Amino acid sequence: MTAQDALRQAIPRLSAAGIDNAPRDARLLLAHAMGIAADRLTLHLPDALTAPAQTAFEAAIKARLNRQPVSQITGQRQFWGRSFKVTPDTLDPRPETEILVAEALTRPFVKILDLGTGTGCILLSCLADMPMARGIGSDLSPAALVVATENAARLNLSARATFQQSDWCAAIQGRFDLITSNPPYIAADEMPQLAPDVLQWEPHAALTPGGDGLDAYRKIAAQAPARLLAGGRLILEIGPSQARMVSQMLAAQGLHNIRTLQDFDGRDRVVCAEKPQDGDNCG
């Protein structure tokens, strides 16, 4: 069997199971099974599949039919041009989160704190593109912190990135000129509407705080200003309907210059705020 034959057989199986983007997923899984980069797959489609590659590809297809995300099957996800290790203990990095990273990098920073760091994709992407900066990634999940630490090592950023278990800012010391977070924001009554790939496989603690989905923002709004230097920035990913409420929370804590950025589909996705230069009066 050639790689092309295997691909032709796999795509209809995924499509019949209702898998979105079945051709893309099949190609990614085949490249993974063959041990080659996905962008090199076309060159190798005429190649005969080895027995181990056939076995690995069939296992990967069965896992995808069980709605396990491709990133968990392959163990990695591309984000901001780099590969990050992904496990069932972490949220799968998503393209819209790159909007937050892009905004973070519009101004220099020296010390960054990333709350609920997960894979570390936000912190490490920011540090990789800001060579003079150092940062801390915090998470309540010890398993997620292990993954983030491994990603820092893979990207040669261990010397500038440290990781700490903390319930948001509770265990964090010091002040930062940039604080970022993609916290859980899905309301409890919205969870059943999620795709099986997300609902069945991603950690619920990283998806929802329960209730109205705003509890994490309440805590961050209350705690983060005290950890910001005067003039420092707070940048948060939000759900599409949460910009007004999150902005009000931040304004109530004395932050200003509050703005909302949209994602690729024109939906509200990121809220940015700053601590006034006379920051001793807030937080």
Side-chain angles (χ1 to χ4, degrees):
M1 177 184 291
T2 66
Q4 181 71 67
D5 293 334
L7 195 63
R8 285 174 177 159
Q9 292 178 18
I11 292 173
R13 293 171 65 190
L14 295 180
S15 296
I19 303 292
D20 293 335
N21 298 309
R24 182 203 63 186
D25 288 3
R27 290 178 66 89
L28 289 172
L29 295 175
L30 180 57
H32 174 68
M34 295 175 69
I36 60 176
D39 60 2
R40 306 288 294 174
L41 179 62
T42 300
L43 298 174
H44 293 276
L45 287 177
D47 296 355
L49 275 188
T50 65
Q54 287 188 46
T55 300
F57 185 48
E58 178 60 22
I61 291 298
K62 286 182 177 178
R64 189 69 187 105
L65 289 171
N66 199 33
R67 303 311 290 257
Q68 186 171 13
V70 171
S71 60
Q72 288 187 17
I73 299 170
T74 65
Q76 62 182 353
R77 176 67 174 246
Q78 290 292 314
F79 180 86
W80 201 248
R82 299 175 180 89
S83 177
F84 287 84
K85 179 179 178 178
V86 174
T87 77
D89 296 307
T90 63
L91 195 69
D92 190 355
R94 289 163 166 78
E96 53 265 31
T97 303
E98 293 184 347
I99 296 166
L100 188 159
V101 173
E103 177 63 21
L105 292 167
T106 59
R107 283 164 47 181
F109 56 86
V110 176
K111 291 182 64 181
I112 175 176
L113 169 64
D114 183 41
L115 300 169
T117 199
T119 61
C121 65
I122 294 174
L123 173 70
L124 298 173
S125 296
C126 288
L127 290 178
D129 287 1
M130 196 67 66
M132 299 301 292
R134 304 177 70 86
I136 295 175
S138 75
D139 207 292
L140 196 58
S141 166
L145 291 172
V146 170
V147 175
T149 301
E150 291 182 20
N151 279 326
R154 287 164 54 133
L155 295 171
N156 297 315
L157 290 169
S158 298
R160 295 194 286 124
T162 57
F163 297 95
Q164 182 176 346
Q165 188 175 16
S166 180
D167 185 3
W168 305 115
C169 295
I172 303 298
Q173 300 296 315
R175 292 193 176 191
F176 304 83
D177 49 355
L178 175 62
I179 297 178
T180 59
S181 185
N182 177 19
Y185 55 69
I186 299 173
D189 61 5
E190 295 174 337
M191 287 291 288
Q193 303 168 28
L194 296 179
D197 313 50
V198 178
L199 188 61
Q200 297 174 12
W201 291 96
E202 298 200 53
H204 283 202
L207 293 167
T208 179
D212 63 1
L214 294 168
D215 279 357
Y217 299 110
R218 294 184 179 101
K219 293 179 180 178
I220 293 171
Q223 299 172 5
R227 301 271 67 86
L228 275 176
L229 291 163
R233 294 178 294 156
L234 175 62
I235 308 178
L236 306 173
E237 183 167 334
I238 60 166
S241 65
Q242 296 171 329
R244 181 181 59 83
M245 291 172 286
V246 173
S247 296
Q248 290 175 349
M249 293 177 198
L250 301 182
Q253 295 297 325
L255 300 185
H256 70 165
N257 291 342
I258 299 172
R259 299 178 293 120
T260 300
L261 306 178
Q262 282 72 46
D263 63 18
F264 312 113
D265 295 321
R267 299 172 298 183
D268 291 345
R269 183 58 62 186
V270 172
V271 169
C272 314
E274 297 178 21
K275 186 168 182 175
Q277 289 293 338
D278 56 345
D280 291 342
N281 293 327
C282 78

